[in-house]
């Protein structure tokens, strides 16, 4: 089964709108086989964007992904991230090479700066350029950068090649709708949402459950479908095959106007600018 929903990168390449996150995966040996099975099932079901980072479990998540994708690398759009402390020119290259070793691959489809810290963006951009020229990454992007940072980034030499901004976005965290999301749409930058169900906390809200019951869906599926309805890609984490199947159901769920209105009432959109939130 292939994903029925895709989202376009600035290059025009289409990727699955609903992918798989790996934060906290690979840290419990007792769950390893189940987590590998979940990732493989997700690929089977068309959730072929797999997102990880050198930070996750200090590389353990990347090692898990590398094992899960053995023999299936070409089916997946693989994403990882460089820690800000490594993000000078040479450090970015070295960090990527470490991720490639753990992931058992020769290239990443997308490499992100995990968040902005002490190194100038020019340094990280230079590292990304070196990696692209070496064929070790196909695209580069950023994570947790707000609209001011994005505007600065795109004024730098080569900065307008940014493909993705991956940010915290869900029904609880709608602040990007005021300025960052419109800015990215205008600039042609793809937005990717991490923690699209707020690490499960959203699922306890009664109003979300009521919408889900009316649609014959689960709260998880409604929360994920809502993100997709905004034209934003989602990368929910799941460590079990049952949860992967549930997540996949969001791809086929289209929310009617009355459901969207009910969600707006329960989770109001922003009425002014707010600082970018992070987890």
């Amino acid at each position: 089964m292939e994903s029925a929903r895709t989202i376009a990168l600035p290059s025009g390449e289409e990727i699955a709108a609903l992918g798989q996150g790996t934060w906290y995966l690979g840290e419990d040996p007792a769950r390893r086989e189940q987590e590998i099975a979940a990732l493989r099932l997700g690929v089977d079901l068309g959730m072929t964007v797999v997102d990880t980072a050198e930070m996750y479990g200090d590389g353990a998540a990347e090692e898990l992904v590398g094992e899960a994708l053995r023999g299936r690398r070409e089916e997946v759009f693989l994403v990882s991230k460089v820690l800000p402390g490594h993000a000078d020119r040479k450090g970015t290259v070295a960090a990527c090479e470490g991720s490639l070793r753990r992931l058992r691959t020769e290239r990443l489809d997308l490499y992100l700066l995990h968040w902005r810290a002490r190194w100038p963006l020019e340094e990280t951009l230079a590292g990304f350029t070196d990696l692209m020229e070496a064929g070790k990454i196909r695209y580069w992007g950023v994570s947790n950068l707000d609209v001011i940072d994005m505007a600065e980034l795109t004024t730098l030499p080569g900065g307008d090649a940014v493909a993705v901004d991956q940010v915290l976005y869900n029904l609880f965290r709608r602040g990007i709708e005021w300025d960052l999301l419109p800015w990215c749409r205008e600039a042609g930058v793809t937005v990717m949402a991490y923690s699209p169900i707020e690490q499960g906390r959203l699922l306890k809200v009664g109003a979300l459950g009521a919408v889900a019951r009316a649609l014959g869906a689960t709260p998880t599926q409604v929360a994920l479908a809502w993100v997709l309805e905004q034209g934003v890609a989602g990368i929910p984490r799941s460590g079990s095959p049952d949860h992967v199947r549930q997540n996949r159901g969001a791809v086929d769920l289209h929310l009617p106007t009355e459901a969207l209105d009910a969600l707006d009432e329960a989770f109001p959109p922003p009425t002014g600018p707010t600082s970018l939130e992070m987890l």
Side-chain angles (χ1 to χ4, degrees):
M1 294 174 61
E2 293 187 356
S3 174
R5 293 195 191 184
T6 61
I7 194 164
L9 298 173
S11 68
E13 180 175 344
E14 300 274 339
I15 61 173
L18 188 67
Q20 303 182 82
T22 62
W23 198 2
Y24 298 118
L25 297 191
E27 298 182 21
D28 182 354
R31 297 181 56 84
R32 188 174 189 84
E33 292 306 315
Q34 178 176 266
E35 291 171 351
I36 288 172
L39 285 167
R40 289 174 176 167
L41 176 62
V43 175
D44 291 340
L45 297 179
M47 298 163 63
T48 51
V49 174
V50 176
D51 176 89
T52 190
E54 65 169 335
M55 184 188 81
Y56 299 165
D58 195 23
E62 290 180 323
E63 291 175 350
L64 181 86
V65 170
E67 184 174 348
L69 299 183
R70 188 185 303 170
R72 307 193 65 176
R73 172 65 184 90
E74 297 307 315
E75 301 175 52
V76 169
F77 187 90
L78 187 56
V79 186
S80 194
K81 310 178 194 75
V82 56
L83 278 166
H86 298 161
D88 62 330
R89 182 173 189 165
K90 290 183 178 179
T92 296
V93 172
C96 182
E97 290 172 344
S99 291
L100 293 173
R101 286 192 297 272
R102 289 186 290 272
L103 288 162
R104 308 182 189 185
T105 187
E106 295 180 352
R107 75 179 192 291
L108 292 171
D109 296 293
L110 175 66
Y111 197 39
L112 307 177
L113 171 63
H114 210 151
W115 66 89
R116 187 175 185 181
R118 64 189 181 96
W119 290 110
L121 291 173
E122 293 93 332
E123 283 281 316
T124 312
L125 280 178
F128 287 156
T129 299
D130 292 343
L131 289 164
M132 290 190 72
E133 290 176 350
K136 294 178 179 178
I137 65 173
R138 297 179 57 226
Y139 303 107
W140 65 268
V142 294
S143 181
N144 297 303
L145 262 65
D146 208 345
V147 64
I148 294 175
D149 303 301
M150 293 299 291
E152 177 187 344
L153 175 66
T154 53
T155 65
L156 301 175
D160 57 356
V162 57
V164 167
D165 190 10
Q166 185 184 114
V167 294
L168 177 62
Y169 182 55
N170 58 49
L171 282 163
F172 272 155
R173 315 271 193 164
R174 298 184 61 173
I176 68 168
E177 293 174 20
W178 184 262
D179 48 13
L180 179 61
L181 188 55
W183 187 95
C184 287
R185 286 171 175 158
E186 179 68 22
V189 177
T190 302
V191 176
M192 188 177 287
Y194 71 83
S195 297
I197 58 172
E198 188 74 8
Q199 299 182 342
R201 288 182 287 272
L202 257 175
L203 309 182
K204 301 175 183 178
V205 179
L208 179 61
V211 171
R213 287 191 295 274
L215 296 174
T218 69
T220 293
Q221 289 166 344
V222 172
L224 294 176
W226 179 85
V227 169
L228 302 184
E229 294 278 356
Q230 314 309 310
V232 173
I235 46 168
R237 181 198 74 225
S238 179
S240 78
D242 286 345
H243 287 161
V244 168
R245 291 188 185 93
Q246 182 180 176
N247 291 348
R248 173 58 178 79
V251 173
D252 303 316
L253 180 62
H254 292 271
L255 303 179
T257 300
E258 55 268 27
L260 292 170
D261 289 345
L263 293 171
D264 279 346
E265 183 174 353
F267 307 95
T271 57
T274 59
S275 298
L276 184 67
E277 297 180 281
M278 294 174 57
L279 283 178

